[in-house]
Amino acid sequence: MVAAIAALIKMQSRVFLREPLAVFFGLVFPALFLVVLGSVFPGATEPNVDLGGRSLVEIYAPVSIALGLATVALSLLPATLGGDRERGFLRRLSTTPVHPGSLVGAHLVVQLMVVTCAAVGAVLIGVLIFGIPVPASPGWFLLSFALGAVSLLAVGLLVGALVPTANSGQAVGMLLYFPVLFFAGVYIPLEVMPDGVRTVSSYIPSGAAVQALSTSWSGGIPEIANLFVMAAWVFVAGSLAIWLFRWD
């Protein structure tokens, strides 16, 4: 069984790497987003009083990580699972000794590897090119990243559990994608949002992830509420995905 799962992970990794758009948006886009922002906006690397004394690049470094998480979880994962269902791959797999759940697990492992590589790339770009400090609370940073990644992937898995085709998976995923980016502070930094909007953002997995990542990056301890929100999304969305998942 372990060998079969490893083979599925290897196969799904190859499928992912054969898709140029998936590679670009999953691996390259978060770091490129930070490069463009830091290079194009005047004073993006200078401390800003309105941003709590931090530079725009420092503010957007954790946002770029959340951007990568949301892109993989909501744009790629639902379409991939919908495509497997549309092609009858899940149904055919159920006739083999390998449980179809192993394929879902392989997808999740591959997506976790992708978002981790994208996050490392964004951190390296921020530190090496723009000179922002490395995360000052690495343990809390890793925990915040792990919870943010799993919570958003759980939402993507819930969408993928229901959609019948790749196109419908992409459509539903994109309907969620843009609001999730808004509450992550991609369009407007969370620091300058109205208090009411920031409160709503703290209940969205992407917003909670950005707040926790930002706090731990600057050396603080994330608010327990942010960590709890992400854990709650993992439990609720993950449980619903398992309960509602259709193999054909």
Side-chain angles (χ1 to χ4, degrees), residues 145-208:
F145 171 76
L147 284 174
V150 178
S151 61
L152 282 164
L153 285 172
V155 175
L157 181 59
L158 176 57
V159 176
L162 300 172
V163 293
T165 65
N167 286 339
S168 60
Q170 188 173 46
V172 176
M174 295 306 287
L175 284 176
L176 298 174
Y177 180 66
F178 293 106
V180 162
L181 294 189
F182 172 78
F183 287 113
V186 172
Y187 311 130
I188 305 172
L190 293 177
E191 286 73 10
V192 299
M193 284 184 177
D195 290 340
V197 178
R198 290 192 64 186
T199 299
V200 174
S201 172
S202 66
Y203 291 101
I204 308 299
S206 58

Side-chain angles (χ1 to χ4, degrees), residues 49-82:
V49 176
D50 295 331
L51 299 176
R54 292 184 292 170
S55 68
L56 192 64
V57 171
E58 287 182 83
I59 292 294
Y60 269 97
V63 173
S64 68
I65 293 175
L67 172 64
L69 295 178
T71 299
V72 170
L74 299 177
S75 178
L76 302 181
L77 181 57
T80 301
L81 290 174

Side-chain angles (χ1 to χ4, degrees), residues 24-110:
F24 174 77
F25 285 104
L27 286 174
V28 180
F29 186 49
L32 181 62
F33 172 80
L34 198 60
V35 169
V36 172
L37 183 141
S39 304
V40 171
F41 284 85
T45 58
E46 302 297 326
N48 191 316
V49 176
D50 295 331
L51 299 176
R54 292 184 292 170
S55 68
L56 192 64
V57 171
E58 287 182 83
I59 292 294
Y60 269 97
V63 173
S64 68
I65 293 175
L67 172 64
L69 295 178
T71 299
V72 170
L74 299 177
S75 178
L76 302 181
L77 181 57
T80 301
L81 290 174
D84 286 341
R85 185 176 293 110
E86 181 180 12
R87 293 190 300 270
F89 188 44
L90 295 177
R91 184 175 61 253
R92 292 195 300 273
L93 194 64
S94 65
T95 64
T96 71
V98 180
H99 191 275
S102 301
L103 178 64
V104 177
H107 278 307
L108 291 178
V109 169
V110 171

